[in-house]
Amino acid sequence: MISLATLRRWPVASNDQAVRNARAAATECSRLRVERAEVEQYLARIASSTQEEAAEAVASGG
């Protein structure tokens, strides 16, 4: 049988777990946003350097 004390503590414990879950989810979302931004910057640098190399090749006749 469930005690009255357990029933009284349940909402607090449930809320605490919900807060922990929300913090973990927010942290993971932030980490993914940062990772996505880093990948976009990396790809932009590669595209830029590839375009510069192509322009140099055209300018030098190669």
Side-chain angles (χ1 to χ4, degrees):
M1 179 173 245
I2 299 174
S3 71
L4 186 58
T6 300
L7 289 175
R8 287 184 177 160
R9 284 191 305 264
W10 177 81
V12 174
S14 178
N15 185 65
D16 289 346
Q17 184 62 49
V19 169
R20 284 192 296 273
N21 290 345
R23 284 183 185 146
T27 300
E28 181 67 11
C29 287
S30 294
R31 187 189 66 75
L32 290 173
R33 275 194 299 272
V34 168
E35 185 176 325
R36 190 176 308 116
E38 289 173 348
V39 168
E40 287 175 1
Q41 289 173 354
Y42 173 75
L43 293 175
R45 280 195 309 270
I46 289 175
S48 175
S49 66
T50 302
Q51 289 174 351
E52 290 172 5
E53 290 172 4
E56 290 174 4
V58 168
S60 67

